[in-house]
Amino acid sequence: MTLNFNDETFRGDYTFRNSPAAIRRFPFPFDQDSYMYSVNLEPHAGGREGSPFQNRFDVDEHYVAEMKDREITLTEDPLRCQSLPHMELAGWDFLELVMVSKSEDYPELFTLNRDGDRWHWINRPLGIEQRFTFLDPTTLPCGPMEYITRQTQGDHALLDQRDGNLWMDAGMVTSQADWSLDFDIGMNFYEWHAPVPKANEMGVFQRALKFLLNLQQGAPVRRLNWTMTVNPRLDTSPENYHKWGPEKRTITPENVGEKQHLRVELQTLWRLPRSNAIAFPIRCYLMSLEDIVSQPKWGRRLHRVLRDLPDELAEYKGFAVNRPVIVDYLSKFDDGAETSPGIFPD
Amino acid sequence: MPRTEFSPSIATRPVYAALKAHGSAPALMLADAEGAEALIELAAADPAVMDRAHLIYIPAGAAHGPRLRELGAKMYHEAPSFSAALERYRKALLDAKMGTQLYLAGTEGLIGQAAAEALAAGLPADAIQSEHRGSIARRMQCVHCKGVTEDVTTDPFVCSHCGLTLFVRDHFSRRLGAFQGVCVDAETPGIVPEMKEIKA
Ligand code: HEM
């Protein structure tokens, strides 16, 4: 597989686009015509050839542009990347996991040579070559978590495990669906999930936490989460809400297909070997409604899901104001036909 | 003033029980304004709680000082504000022996900041008790500029640092000792809902 990296933006003129191949491989999150929270965890052990589930850390045509966008966000607000002092070892664990996985899964893009603790890393798409000593922070330009997450698509949280809970004690968060790392850092699993409606009463968080506390090394798991975003914007942070908020009100029946995006997060969970921490990459995929309806199954299904979604969820996900226009647009692509099981297009 | 009962909310919104005495274990006590009454009731229930107590009181205009002093804490100190008391309080946390109980009483601003200091100093969370008394004003962090506005009593309110109009969330950070404030007219600049008094 050869990848061409798009020259595109996720702010300002929003030149982000999905190629026809990217549209076909989009991780559409609905395997049926309705949606409710659940403990939707499954092994992250590969998946359909060419899909974003195939490799441990999916690299796609947006890689280079996403890393540029991250750099812009970090320059404006360094608090998007924080690590409490006891999390450095977890940072090294995560750096190792990513470098090993990417160099094995994408040998034409990434190379890792290891001679004891003397490592040599080559990242061709970003033009980076680095020799460093594993576990020696003075040999990298920044901390290990920051170093590797500036080269890895998606947001990332590192969770410390203690007192029967997980604690969000480090993270790189520049493409979040409206939550603040700076506010949440140091919180436990129940605390950072506190704003989510319904799921707690349903027992979702209790069961998910119990499962995660027993997560084993070498047996990562994954889940999909989703929301709606106006314009292909990665930085939908609360910090900058007063800057991107007005764009949410620009949706009209004429532009909704082009401007309104389904935002899907492919979340994976990894037990780390030395620190016993858990790494939680949150990989974000964006696709316009126009592109979604190019796959008839997806158009029909998204219409039904969004039409029937409980108000509390639409409110929490922040698209209640635009729901009527969105559902009206999608209804034109729903002929009432049955949809096939599973998430993949027909 | 009796103990405040807050209405049910999300998991991070702190709730406060009544203080319970741990006998004559070493104790650090910090109260502001009406919080004094919680300590007076605590000592009435178990006078031994004062034997090894270091009590710091911020009257903030309340007249409970003399009665608190009479409770017989091993050390008693009055401070004009939390920031004036801060270095003394930090030193007390630093000097705290294993098994020291921290009793906090009064407003959410005081409890939030004092608990955050204690956690940062390494005091275990289960050694910290807090009881809410008096004003239900909140300590709010602006998610945009990160400035903290003390004593917020209305929703929305104006950030005292960046001037944005913020709505009052129940999401609370123990690390910051503050609730989160988020721009209320982000999507519709200038269209601000009517300010209302916040409720318990
Ligand atoms: C352990 C790593 C995890 C981290 C760091 C994490 C973090 C978060 C954060 C920060 C939010 C946003 C909350 C807000 O509104 O402020 C969220 C939402 C949510 N999380 Fe997690 N989460 C994790 C794992 C899970 C798991 C395993 C589940 C499984 C059920 C889950 C279910 C949810 C749900 C249902 C939402 C609401 C999402 C929406 O409706 O858009 N999370 N999570």
Side-chain angles (χ1 to χ4, degrees):
Chain A
M1 181 189 60
T2 47
L3 262 178
N4 290 316
F5 296 108
N6 301 348
D7 181 10
E8 60 190 2
T9 56
F10 298 88
R11 57 183 79 213
D13 56 359
Y14 292 110
T15 59
F16 166 90
R17 292 292 175 275
N18 282 303
S19 68
I23 294 173
R24 291 282 302 175
R25 76 192 295 278
F26 184 75
F28 188 73
F30 308 111
D31 61 358
Q32 48 184 327
D33 291 354
S34 64
Y35 178 80
M36 185 26 88
Y37 294 143
S38 64
V39 188
N40 54 338
L41 291 165
E42 61 172 13
H44 183 42
R48 185 181 283 208
E49 170 101 29
S51 77
F53 313 109
Q54 182 186 0
N55 291 317
R56 286 168 280 186
F57 294 88
D58 185 44
V59 177
D60 69 5
E61 64 187 24
H62 307 295
Y63 177 45
V64 174
E66 283 185 25
M67 294 300 97
K68 279 193 188 135
D69 192 74
R70 162 156 297 160
E71 193 176 334
I72 298 172
T73 300
L74 284 173
T75 305
E76 286 172 0
D77 182 4
L79 293 177
R80 302 299 187 85
C81 179
Q82 296 191 46
S83 177
L84 299 182
H86 61 278
M87 295 306 281
E88 186 169 296
L89 186 60
W92 285 109
D93 273 335
F94 189 54
L95 173 143
E96 175 186 55
L97 175 68
V98 173
M99 287 187 178
V100 169
S101 305
K102 281 189 166 182
S103 58
E104 289 175 0
D105 294 349
Y106 301 91
E108 68 288 3
L109 302 181
F110 307 98
T111 303
L112 179 65
N113 300 309
R114 285 184 286 182
D115 173 13
D117 59 3
R118 297 160 70 95
W119 292 25
H120 178 204
W121 165 249
I122 303 171
N123 177 336
R124 286 182 198 85
L126 296 181
I128 292 171
E129 180 166 1
Q130 179 81 38
R131 289 170 203 277
F132 63 99
T133 306
F134 188 66
L135 297 178
D136 179 354
T138 63
T139 59
L140 283 179
C142 55
M145 179 193 69
E146 178 173 348
Y147 182 77
I148 198 59
T149 56
R150 278 179 180 268
Q151 303 179 43
T152 308
Q153 284 167 280
D155 285 344
H156 306 273
L158 298 180
L159 301 320
D160 193 30
Q161 182 161 331
R162 55 179 198 274
D163 305 333
N165 215 321
L166 294 172
W167 303 82
M168 199 193 297
D169 286 347
M172 166 70 90
V173 177
T174 63
S175 51
Q176 69 270 49
D178 211 2
W179 62 279
S180 165
L181 173 72
D182 182 54
F183 194 77
D184 285 6
I185 193 167
M187 287 189 186
N188 68 38
F189 193 83
Y190 293 115
E191 291 175 332
W192 78 64
H193 279 127
V196 180
K198 284 183 184 284
N200 203 35
E201 298 92 278
M202 293 166 61
V204 165
F205 292 134
Q206 211 184 341
R207 276 177 288 140
L209 176 60
K210 193 169 167 217
F211 180 91
L212 294 181
L213 292 175
N214 289 309
L215 187 69
Q216 300 297 311
Q217 202 193 315
V221 296
R222 66 181 172 226
R223 64 184 292 267
L224 292 174
N225 187 48
W226 66 277
T227 188
M228 304 294 287
T229 302
V230 174
N231 292 331
R233 186 175 177 91
L234 289 175
D235 176 25
T236 47
S237 59
E239 276 80 0
N240 285 332
Y241 179 42
H242 55 310
K243 299 179 188 156
W244 56 266
E247 293 178 17
K248 264 179 74 175
R249 302 297 180 112
T250 60
I251 291 290
T252 64
E254 292 69 40
N255 67 20
V256 62
E258 185 195 343
K259 267 179 161 317
Q260 181 66 58
H261 288 67
L262 175 60
R263 182 187 195 100
V264 176
E265 294 174 349
L266 170 55
Q267 308 177 339
T268 53
L269 292 129
W270 310 77
R271 176 70 67 193
L272 299 175
R274 298 171 189 77
S275 57
N276 198 43
I278 288 179
F280 185 64
I282 311 161
R283 177 77 149 75
C284 172
Y285 297 83
L286 291 161
M287 197 152 83
S288 66
L289 296 186
E290 233 165 48
D291 286 345
I292 288 172
V293 301
S294 71
Q295 310 300 314
K297 169 180 167 181
W298 289 353
R300 291 184 185 110
R301 181 165 286 169
L302 187 62
H303 169 243
R304 297 168 200 177
V305 167
L306 296 186
R307 179 193 62 197
D308 302 338
L309 193 78
D311 288 339
E312 269 171 287
L313 268 70
E315 198 61 55
Y316 171 72
K317 289 173 185 284
F319 70 98
V321 279
N322 291 322
R323 173 146 78 162
V325 181
I326 294 168
V327 170
D328 196 46
Y329 170 84
L330 289 171
S331 68
K332 301 188 188 90
F333 301 90
D334 186 0
D335 55 9
E338 230 178 273
T339 52
S340 60
I343 63 174
F344 294 103
D346 290 324
Chain B
M1 228 190 217
R3 189 167 75 82
T4 315
E5 292 278 3
F6 289 97
S7 28
S9 178
I10 65 173
T12 43
R13 201 267 173 269
V15 288
Y16 310 92
L19 298 180
K20 277 207 189 72
H22 278 244
S24 56
L28 178 56
M29 300 176 174
L30 182 61
D32 70 353
E34 310 303 329
E37 294 186 333
L39 294 181
I40 290 166
E41 286 169 27
L42 180 74
D46 182 3
V49 76
M50 290 296 164
D51 291 355
R52 295 161 74 193
H54 179 178
L55 197 170
I56 303 171
Y57 182 52
I58 301 156
H64 303 295
R67 281 176 67 205
L68 268 190
R69 186 185 289 276
E70 280 166 22
L71 297 179
K74 189 153 170 272
M75 293 166 82
Y76 177 80
H77 175 70
E78 274 182 28
S81 65
F82 181 75
S83 63
L86 189 55
E87 291 311 321
R88 184 186 179 107
Y89 175 61
R90 282 186 177 150
K91 171 92 170 34
L93 287 170
L94 207 67
D95 294 345
K97 299 193 177 50
M98 282 278 284
T100 296
Q101 295 294 311
L102 176 61
Y103 299 91
L104 305 173
T107 60
E108 290 209 89
L110 176 87
I111 294 171
Q113 285 178 93
E117 286 285 339
L119 291 171
L123 210 72
D126 58 13
I128 306 173
Q129 290 188 55
S130 45
E131 177 168 336
H132 188 274
R133 297 271 182 144
S135 160
I136 55 164
R138 292 190 186 191
R139 186 162 188 267
M140 300 294 308
Q141 191 204 34
C142 172
V143 76
H144 311 287
C145 80
K146 308 293 180 188
V148 170
T149 303
E150 306 281 350
D151 292 326
V152 170
T153 57
T154 63
D155 179 16
F157 70 100
V158 175
C159 174
S160 62
H161 303 264
C162 70
L164 286 175
T165 307
L166 310 178
F167 68 93
V168 173
R169 288 191 76 187
D170 278 353
H171 203 20
F172 182 86
S173 159
R174 289 196 279 166
R175 182 182 72 93
L176 300 168
F179 291 91
Q180 190 177 69
V182 178
C183 185
V184 71
D185 57 342
E187 296 179 23
T188 50
I191 304 180
V192 171
E194 190 196 338
M195 275 192 189
K196 295 206 169 107
E197 290 290 313
I198 59 175
K199 295 201 192 84

